[in-house]
Amino acid sequence: MTGTLPGVAPMAVPPGAFLVVATLLFAIGLAGALLKRNALSIFLSIELMLNAVNLLFLTYARMRGDLAGQMIVFFVIAVAAAEAAVGLAIFVALFRVRRTVDVDKIALLKW
Amino acid sequence: MPAASGQLVVFAVASFLALAFALLMVVQRSPVRSVLSLVVTFFALSVLAILLSAPFLAALQIFVYAGAILVLFLFVIMLLNLKEEAADEDDRPVQRTLGLLAALALGGLLAGATLRAPAPGGVPSPRLIPAPDEIPALGRLLFSDYLLAFEALSLLLLVAAVGALLLSKRKFE
């Protein structure tokens, strides 16, 4: 898809290119979340997926000429910061008890 | 037009860097190197944000993501003294192929869907991005339309900080 709404300043780079980069980044992040065994690496991959979605929001905000998309990205970044603080604290607590953050070995609730 | 082709070059370089270092992050076995390659990806993403006329979020991306969140990751990784993932011991061949297939399928599906999606219709929003001064407009919006969400967010950050402190207190076992 190309082009912006009438009345919105045209973009030098076609917006479809941004959308493809964002979806590829999301797929790479998903691959990391599915393939990694270290809980911290899985968490990092989830951060990458969040960023891919942020890029998508920014692209649509630019296409529509609407600041609401940028606002959502602002909130996503802030919530991601809160999530990282709590998640990393959980991993530290988990490591104290189990001496590992390998998700294959932490399978107490798996079956 | 020279300005437009310049933007194209910047876009090509930044998106190549973002994708290449994201791939490196997934392929990398050492967690520290994963974090460092993700830093490069986030810097490239902030360049893309500038191209999308979102300079405030580009700065936020570097301050909060590369500056705070990833540094927190590095601290925890070094605190836990994580080693590289073992290469050969039970390498989960089934999960590996299935996971790769799922990621490829979803990536293809999403790329196809976003490319086919109709361009945003309707009328342009009343909150049009004003070209030279997006940041004052964003600030006004934050403290008028999104004031409640903003206050809730500050409460959430406080709760998260207290929660992280409580979780990392030495009390389990």
Side-chain angles (χ1 to χ4, degrees):
Chain A
M1 106 163 92
T2 54
T4 49
L5 281 181
V8 178
M11 296 173 67
V13 183
F18 284 99
L19 299 182
V20 169
V21 170
T23 49
L24 286 180
L25 278 177
F26 190 86
I28 292 173
L30 178 70
L34 290 176
L35 297 179
K36 291 282 190 175
R37 266 178 294 174
N38 183 342
L40 277 154
S41 301
I42 293 176
F43 205 21
L44 272 182
S45 306
I46 293 174
E47 298 290 339
L48 178 61
M49 288 161 83
L50 281 173
N51 270 278
V53 175
N54 281 351
L55 181 60
L56 211 62
F57 269 122
L58 289 181
T59 311
Y60 280 120
R62 179 68 182 74
M63 286 168 80
R64 286 189 58 79
D66 190 342
L67 279 175
Q70 297 196 11
M71 209 45 110
I72 292 177
V73 174
F74 174 82
F75 287 117
V76 169
I77 289 179
V79 172
E83 171 223 350
V86 175
L88 288 174
I90 290 175
F91 290 149
V92 171
L94 193 62
F95 189 80
R96 270 202 200 120
V97 180
R98 301 292 305 267
R99 310 310 298 173
T100 179
V101 285
D102 185 335
V103 290
D104 279 0
K105 302 212 172 72
I106 308 166
L108 203 61
L109 292 178
K110 200 165 175 184
W111 301 116
Chain B
M1 206 185 350
S5 59
Q7 281 199 26
L8 271 178
V9 170
V10 171
F11 169 79
V13 172
S15 52
F16 172 76
L17 279 180
L19 288 171
F21 278 87
L23 265 181
L24 206 61
M25 188 274 281
V26 172
V27 173
Q28 199 64 251
R29 286 187 182 279
S30 142
V32 175
R33 287 188 199 149
S34 287
V35 174
L36 292 181
S37 27
L38 205 57
V39 170
V40 180
T41 297
F42 285 175
F43 268 85
L45 278 175
S46 96
V47 172
L48 292 183
I50 290 175
L51 280 183
L52 289 168
S53 65
F56 176 64
L57 289 161
L60 215 59
Q61 173 94 12
I62 291 180
F63 294 158
V64 178
Y65 261 116
I69 296 182
L70 290 186
V71 170
L72 204 60
F73 268 93
L74 270 185
F75 268 136
V76 171
I77 286 169
M78 289 172 179
L79 188 72
L80 303 187
N81 195 15
L82 294 179
K83 295 292 184 298
E84 304 196 356
E85 291 180 11
D88 34 351
E89 52 141 323
D90 99 280
D91 222 358
R92 310 192 300 175
V94 181
Q95 285 93 327
R96 182 140 295 194
T97 37
L98 279 184
L100 214 53
L101 274 181
L104 280 177
L106 187 79
L109 188 74
L110 286 177
T114 44
L115 279 178
R116 274 155 197 257
V123 287
S125 135
R127 296 190 284 258
L128 268 188
I129 300 178
D133 45 16
E134 298 94 350
I135 299 176
L138 208 60
R140 270 193 295 277
L141 207 54
L142 188 59
F143 288 104
S144 57
D145 288 15
Y146 293 88
L147 185 60
L148 181 66
F150 182 73
E151 295 297 340
L153 189 66
S154 51
L155 197 64
L156 173 73
L157 284 173
L158 178 67
V159 170
V162 174
L165 270 179
L166 271 180
L167 274 173
S168 40
K169 263 177 69 175
R170 188 176 286 276
K171 213 170 58 180
F172 304 98
E173 291 155 53

